[in-house]
Amino acid sequence: MQENYIQNLNPEQEKAVKHIDGPSMVIAGAGSGKTRVLTYKIVYLLQNNIKPSSILALTFTNKASKEMQKRIEEIVGFNYSNNLWMGTFHSVFSRILRFEANHLNYSSNFTIYDTEDSKSLIRSIIKELNLDKEIYKVNFIRNRISSMKNNFITAKEYNNKKELIEADKIAKRIEFGRIYNIYNNRCMKADAMDFDDLLIKTYELLSRNKDTLLKYQEKFKYILIDEYQDTNNIQYLIIKKIAALYKNICVVGDDAQSIYSFRGANIQNILNFKLDYPEHKIYKLEQNYRSTSTIVEAANSIIKHNKKQIKKKVWTNNIQGEKIIIAKTGSDNEESRIVAKTINDIQLQNEARYEEFAILYRTNAQSRALEEALRKRNIAYKIYGGLSFYQRKEIKDLLSYYRLTINQKDEEALKRIINYPARGIGLTTIQKLTIAANKMNISIWEVINNIEEIGLTINNGTKNKLENFVSLINTFKEEIEIEDAYTIAEKIAKKSGILSELYNDKTNEGINRFENIQELLNGIKTFTDSSEQNNTLPEFMKEVALLTNEDKEDQKTNNKVTLMTIHSAKGLEFPYVFIVGLEENLFPSLMSKESEESMEEERRLFYVAITRAKKRVFITFAASRFKWGQIIDCSPSRFIREIDSNCLEKKEMYSKETRKPVYSVHLKTRDRRDKTKQSVYQKKLRKINNNTINSRIDLTKITNGIKVKHNQFGTGTVINIQGEGINKKATVFFAGVGQKNLLLRFAKLEIIEK
């Protein structure tokens, strides 16, 4: 085991890492090295002879847990990191549920329904009941069922709550209770759980089985939770139960970044930690390694207006940097044109890459004008949060084959693929099978296998087609026990007919779909080769089923400006950040004015937006905006007034279309009235540019082991080199900052020691 990792921590981080016994709370300000502390704390526990299997570490995304596990493995080795119970809440709880499934009348191979599966099932139920789909909207019904579950209201309990029934009567949704009941029964019959069930059933398991609760209390002697401010009531209650015996619980988070109440996150969980564990120790990580001093000070000045918070003072040793530009524009379209022009200017003047820019907005609808402006300037961009890889039709189709091969009771998978590719099994036949299954309370698969005994009226031709389908799935089922994930996955893709179906479609869409299937198989191949044990298809499908929306994003690096909502931006960072639409009733939103709690969350959202930036922040608002078919006048957001004026530079900006002056916002000057006054940040840039600009450095001189200087990260050591020529990249370890991957032709590194 490596022991020098402690040297990479500042004093407060070190204290947090070395706290072993008893409850502790780590309040981690934006850019303060939260992940490093969590990672090193686990390493420290391992080095103090704590068994890996006794450590439970919970995160909100698979990406976060895998990144931490990789770092831990680099320090302590695979044998230690591999035996940790680390993952998302859903993945860890599903693992527990598979071990204890018999207590809940499930099999250990139960299917996990994602959002689309749940919607599909609800859509089928609404259709079977002949309900008005405009009144019983699938998204609403699904969200209401989710809300019921997370408030511990079962379908039976719903029918005993007069106020809920009355509310649904007023909304003309008198059949909601019936839908809810049928939905739960169908999930049970299909041996399936949805994402809410993974939490609810875990709580149920621990509440009803004292021996099982004690088993996991004894097992998980040390509990660590990332992003604790994002936990909901169920997650909070489960963790409280497991931690009750030893109370060696460490929660890490930042109440100032609690922005997901609409998903059920409860900020009171982190605010009340001291009440749950009076003997707790608190550690505040207040040094920001990400942003300039100006950005940090601006963020502090905003968040201090919130009453409900854990007090802290974030600070940084980074350079002062440029002031935040507050730009007033004439309209929303003009706002978008100015943003596009500014990106273009900075990109040209500073050799910046488009991927260094992010445009953040409060609502998705704001992206239209921005996209149009970027396209007109030929600026490449991507919408973060679009249709994810695993939600594409062709991927869902093939995954449904895999799911049905593993679990023949999975009705949503069966109905999706029973006639895809087309094999002559029509909708009428599927409806007959479904009705028979529901009537007899058995699965559709069982009906297909017992058509004669049930006495179902189906012609011989269709019977043969159903028998062939069953035979196909049974063949896959037999081979899944002996083949690795990739071998059987590829075989299913071929023998099912999906590969040839897509290969024969020579349209652009068909080609893209075929390439997506190939990419899925590539992913399964990687999984198979990298898994020394348990490299089976069921194991791969468990991972796929638990991917969060963030993990499903296509994470391939490409040189494009990123457009996204601020909610999607949490956890990310960019050198240049544009926050658009800072107007009353837009940001903060109109609905946030209904309560002080909502307004404080909006302010936290603005805090998150500003702290995504490393170098520059640009805030824009429009004097008028096109809404609901008309032009409306807008007033600046109250949040602008809350920023310390010393951090701001205000401008009125107009595009060429208005035939009024455009005020430059490039890095060379502050404004037209003061072209000579430069910030500390600009002077440092100029010094580096004159003496060490990379275009004048022989990139071959930057090799492993040399010491270099970066204008933002400070002094570091090159630990890895990849690529050739202008595409050469270096991984550099900076003390107090950690590893950074830098493209050398843009990094402006200065060699200080060979």
Side-chain angles (χ1 to χ4, degrees):
M1 289 188 182
Q2 299 178 18
E3 297 184 0
N4 60 354
Y5 64 92
I6 294 291
Q7 298 172 7
N8 300 321
L9 301 171
N10 64 38
E12 195 67 9
Q13 289 174 334
E14 184 175 346
K15 290 178 187 175
V17 164
K18 290 185 174 180
H19 180 113
I20 292 183
D21 298 317
S24 65
M25 178 165 62
V26 181
I27 300 300
S32 62
K34 167 180 68 69
T35 302
R36 189 186 320 143
V37 168
L38 259 178
T39 303
Y40 289 175
K41 187 172 182 69
I42 293 171
V43 171
Y44 191 76
L45 289 171
L46 294 172
Q47 290 186 337
N48 279 271
N49 299 317
I50 306 299
K51 292 180 180 178
S53 58
S54 296
I55 300 172
L56 172 63
L58 298 170
T59 66
F60 274 86
T61 67
N62 283 298
K63 180 184 176 185
S65 63
K66 286 179 180 178
E67 181 182 329
M68 286 171 56
Q69 197 149 17
K70 183 180 178 182
R71 292 192 196 182
I72 293 167
E73 182 182 337
E74 289 172 354
I75 300 174
V76 301
F78 176 79
N79 289 337
Y80 284 94
S81 66
N82 191 50
N83 288 314
L84 294 166
W85 276 66
M86 177 183 286
T88 64
F89 284 86
H90 290 92
S91 66
V92 169
F93 292 167
S94 71
R95 189 175 170 190
I96 291 173
L97 289 170
R98 291 191 190 280
F99 280 122
E100 312 295 341
N102 60 302
H103 292 299
L104 298 166
N105 296 320
Y106 281 85
S107 76
S108 60
N109 272 331
F110 63 81
T111 296
I112 298 173
Y113 279 178
D114 65 13
T115 301
E116 291 305 312
D117 296 321
S118 295
K119 286 181 182 178
S120 177
L121 176 54
I122 291 167
R123 195 175 290 112
S124 296
I125 295 169
I126 291 170
K127 188 172 183 179
E128 289 167 23
L129 298 177
N130 292 316
L131 300 175
D132 188 337
K133 63 182 180 182
E134 291 303 313
I135 294 176
Y136 295 90
K137 293 184 176 179
V138 172
N139 284 341
F140 177 87
I141 298 297
R142 182 199 163 273
N143 291 338
R144 188 152 167 75
I145 289 175
S146 176
S147 176
M148 292 293 159
K149 288 185 176 183
N150 282 286
N151 283 288
F152 299 104
I153 301 172
T154 64
K156 185 178 180 180
E157 288 167 342
Y158 166 87
N159 291 319
N160 293 326
K161 291 188 178 291
K162 292 181 180 179
E163 67 278 9
L164 293 176
I165 293 173
E166 190 61 34
D168 282 327
K169 278 184 180 178
I170 293 171
K172 298 181 179 179
R173 284 187 293 266
I174 59 174
E175 295 287 0
F176 171 77
R178 190 177 175 193
I179 296 171
Y180 186 14
N181 188 53
I182 294 172
Y183 175 82
N184 282 344
N185 290 339
R186 294 279 177 85
C187 285
M188 281 292 296
K189 190 176 71 173
D191 195 25
M193 295 188 194
D194 62 23
F195 263 41
D196 292 313
D197 287 331
L198 295 178
L199 303 181
I200 301 298
K201 298 293 183 184
T202 301
Y203 180 78
E204 205 176 288
L205 174 74
L206 299 178
S207 298
R208 296 180 182 178
N209 299 273
K210 290 183 179 179
D211 291 342
T212 304
L213 173 60
L214 183 61
K215 171 183 173 180
Y216 288 100
Q217 286 177 334
E218 288 285 1
K219 178 176 180 57
F220 300 129
K221 294 184 173 67
Y222 295 88
I223 301 170
L224 300 94
I225 306 171
D226 190 17
E227 305 286 12
Y228 191 62
Q229 77 281 351
D230 293 337
T231 53
N232 62 24
N233 292 332
I234 301 291
Q235 291 162 335
Y236 162 79
L237 290 170
I238 293 170
I239 294 305
K240 193 174 181 183
K241 278 185 175 295
I242 297 175
L245 186 60
Y246 289 101
K247 296 184 180 179
N248 295 324
I249 179 172
C250 173
V251 301
V252 181
D254 182 8
D255 57 295
Q257 297 185 66
S258 179
I259 60 173
Y260 295 128
S261 65
F262 67 96
R263 295 182 189 169
N266 187 351
I267 192 174
Q268 294 303 323
N269 293 345
I270 193 167
L271 295 179
N272 293 338
F273 185 82
K274 60 185 179 182
L275 302 178
D276 291 330
Y277 304 95
E279 68 276 34
H280 79 290
K281 295 284 185 181
I282 186 168
Y283 303 95
K284 296 181 181 180
L285 308 185
E286 297 172 307
Q287 183 176 0
N288 179 296
Y289 294 99
R290 175 189 299 156
S291 309
T292 65
S293 176
T294 296
I295 294 171
V296 170
E297 289 169 18
N300 284 339
S301 67
I302 293 160
I303 204 64
K304 74 178 183 182
H305 288 85
N306 273 8
K307 294 178 182 178
K308 293 184 178 180
Q309 62 173 296
I310 299 169
K311 295 292 182 182
K312 63 180 178 299
K313 178 68 175 177
V314 179
W315 58 278
T316 186
N317 277 332
N318 292 344
I319 56 175
Q320 181 180 348
E322 288 291 287
K323 288 191 175 185
I324 293 172
I325 298 294
I326 302 288
K328 176 183 178 180
T329 65
S331 68
D332 50 345
N333 286 327
E334 190 171 62
E335 174 187 56
S336 298
R337 290 193 291 266
I338 290 297
V339 169
K341 181 186 184 305
T342 306
I343 290 173
N344 196 59
D345 289 347
I346 295 174
Q347 189 266 332
L348 291 173
Q349 293 164 13
N350 298 279
E351 296 183 339
R353 290 174 60 78
Y354 286 137
E355 63 188 355
E356 296 181 51
F357 297 87
I359 305 173
L360 309 182
Y361 36 78
R362 181 64 181 83
T363 66
N364 278 307
Q366 291 170 257
S367 73
R368 182 202 59 80
L370 291 162
E371 290 184 69
E372 185 176 309
L374 293 169
R375 282 198 298 266
K376 284 182 178 178
R377 286 189 172 268
N378 293 318
I379 296 174
Y381 70 89
K382 62 180 177 181
I383 303 286
Y384 187 96
L387 188 64
S388 70
F389 180 80
Y390 287 97
Q391 294 300 329
R392 292 169 184 165
K393 180 186 180 301
E394 60 277 13
I395 301 301
K396 294 277 284 182
D397 289 337
L398 186 51
L399 291 180
S400 291
Y401 269 99
Y402 298 161
R403 283 169 45 177
L404 189 63
T405 300
I406 296 166
N407 173 16
Q408 288 75 51
K409 290 183 179 181
D410 188 340
E411 293 191 358
E412 291 308 303
L414 185 147
K415 286 190 283 189
R416 186 180 186 100
I417 62 170
I418 193 170
N419 197 43
Y420 180 77
R423 51 177 59 90
I425 301 173
L427 185 60
T428 302
T429 300
I430 296 170
Q431 288 174 338
K432 282 184 180 180
L433 296 171
T434 303
I435 291 169
N438 293 339
K439 187 177 180 180
M440 302 183 69
N441 199 30
I442 59 176
S443 69
I444 294 175
W445 181 263
E446 289 173 282
V447 172
I448 297 173
N449 280 277
N450 296 280
I451 290 175
E452 296 293 343
E453 291 83 350
I454 293 171
L456 206 58
T457 307
I458 293 178
N459 65 56
N460 290 331
T462 302
K463 282 181 187 176
N464 289 335
K465 292 166 186 173
L466 289 170
E467 287 172 1
N468 290 338
F469 175 70
V470 168
S471 177
L472 180 70
I473 300 300
N474 281 334
T475 300
F476 297 155
K477 182 184 174 184
E478 291 171 6
E479 295 185 14
I480 205 171
E481 302 293 331
I482 55 176
E483 302 282 14
D484 63 49
Y486 176 74
T487 302
I488 185 62
E490 185 185 42
K491 195 170 290 184
I492 292 173
K494 289 178 178 178
K495 290 189 175 181
S496 67
I498 286 181
L499 270 184
S500 58
E501 172 97 352
L502 296 177
Y503 179 78
N504 293 329
D505 182 357
K506 298 304 181 182
T507 64
N508 288 336
E509 188 177 7
I511 292 168
N512 287 336
R513 286 180 174 178
F514 182 76
E515 289 174 349
N516 288 337
I517 291 293
Q518 292 291 352
E519 185 61 29
L520 173 63
L521 293 173
N522 288 343
I524 299 174
K525 180 73 167 121
T526 301
F527 167 83
T528 303
D529 292 345
S530 62
S531 303
E532 296 181 1
Q533 298 175 340
N534 296 327
N535 61 354
T536 64
L537 189 61
E539 287 299 316
F540 173 79
M541 290 301 293
K542 287 174 189 176
E543 288 199 4
V544 170
L546 292 161
L547 289 175
T548 62
N549 288 335
E550 290 86 346
D551 300 316
K552 290 175 182 175
E553 287 292 334
D554 186 350
Q555 297 294 336
K556 289 182 180 178
T557 302
N558 46 31
N559 189 24
K560 296 179 179 179
V561 174
T562 300
L563 279 69
M564 68 175 87
T565 64
I566 303 166
H567 283 102
S568 299
K570 186 168 173 290
L572 304 177
E573 60 181 43
F574 302 88
Y576 306 98
V577 170
F578 291 78
I579 311 170
V580 300
L582 260 291
E583 299 141 29
E584 286 294 302
N585 300 331
L586 180 55
F587 195 15
S589 69
L590 181 61
M591 291 181 64
S592 68
K593 296 183 177 181
E594 294 177 0
S595 68
E596 185 176 339
E597 288 80 8
S598 296
M599 185 58 70
E600 291 207 348
E601 178 154 336
E602 286 286 293
R603 189 174 287 110
R604 293 194 294 269
L605 191 60
F606 186 44
Y607 175 85
V608 166
I610 286 184
T611 55
R612 299 311 93 203
K614 296 158 74 174
K615 292 182 181 179
R616 299 294 309 273
V617 175
F618 301 86
I619 296 172
T620 62
F621 66 95
S624 64
R625 192 169 290 273
F626 194 77
K627 285 185 179 180
W628 306 298
Q630 59 182 343
I631 300 292
I632 64 167
D633 292 333
C634 305
S635 57
S637 169
R638 69 189 67 192
F639 296 154
I640 293 176
R641 298 192 298 274
E642 294 175 356
I643 304 175
D644 186 338
S645 59
N646 292 323
C647 301
L648 300 179
E649 180 181 350
K650 297 182 179 180
K651 294 179 181 292
E652 287 197 17
M653 302 172 65
Y654 303 92
S655 62
K656 288 181 180 179
E657 286 82 349
T658 64
R659 297 185 179 179
K660 293 183 180 180
V662 177
Y663 284 69
S664 174
V665 294
H666 58 68
L667 298 180
K668 303 281 183 168
T669 58
R670 289 239 180 154
D671 60 32
R672 300 178 72 186
R673 297 182 302 277
D674 188 2
K675 293 184 178 180
T676 59
K677 188 177 180 182
Q678 292 180 314
S679 68
V680 174
Y681 177 53
Q682 291 165 336
K683 289 176 182 176
K684 287 195 175 185
L685 269 182
R686 178 158 292 181
K687 180 180 178 182
I688 293 172
N689 284 340
N690 286 341
N691 299 319
T692 61
I693 189 164
N694 280 12
S695 60
R696 298 177 185 174
I697 288 180
D698 183 355
L699 297 184
T700 60
K701 292 183 179 179
I702 299 181
T703 56
N704 286 345
I706 69 166
K707 293 203 176 293
V708 294
K709 185 177 181 182
H710 188 275
N711 68 308
Q712 182 177 353
F713 305 133
T715 302
T717 304
V718 177
I719 59 176
N720 189 37
I721 294 289
Q722 289 181 315
E724 298 293 337
I726 62 172
N727 294 317
K728 195 172 186 180
K729 294 180 181 179
T731 302
V732 185
F733 183 86
F734 296 97
V737 178
Q739 287 184 197
K740 295 289 180 181
N741 294 316
L742 305 172
L743 189 62
L744 290 180
R745 61 184 170 129
F746 294 130
K748 299 183 176 72
L749 294 178
E750 178 183 358
I751 298 174
I752 58 176
E753 184 182 326
K754 294 185 178 179

